[in-house]
Amino acid sequence: MDNRLSMSDKKVKTREWMAFFFITVVLFPLLSVIAVGGYGFTVWMLQLFVFGPPGHGI
């Protein structure tokens, strides 16, 4: 058996690594910021219009 990779296999492997780095360096951090920001915005709007600001309670 020949263990060398063909040119198309090398291209596929390179694209897989590029996709992995894109997902781990760009996509997941961006989605995390969007999720946390969206949650914070939702809580802020709920406090502003529905529940009022947090306090000591009555």
Side-chain angles (χ1 to χ4, degrees), residues 32-52:
S32 298
V33 168
I34 290 170
V36 171
Y39 176 73
F41 183 78
T42 302
V43 170
W44 180 42
M45 286 295 116
L46 284 173
Q47 287 179 350
L48 187 63
F49 293 117
V50 179
F51 298 117

Side-chain angles (χ1 to χ4, degrees), residues 4-42:
R4 290 182 289 177
L5 297 174
S6 68
M7 287 302 287
S8 64
D9 290 340
K10 287 181 182 178
K11 287 181 182 178
V12 169
K13 193 171 184 179
T14 301
R15 284 190 174 194
E16 286 178 353
W17 275 108
M18 288 176 63
F20 171 74
F21 284 122
F22 174 76
I23 290 170
T24 56
V25 173
V26 176
L27 189 62
F28 282 165
L30 186 62
L31 290 176
S32 298
V33 168
I34 290 170
V36 171
Y39 176 73
F41 183 78
T42 302

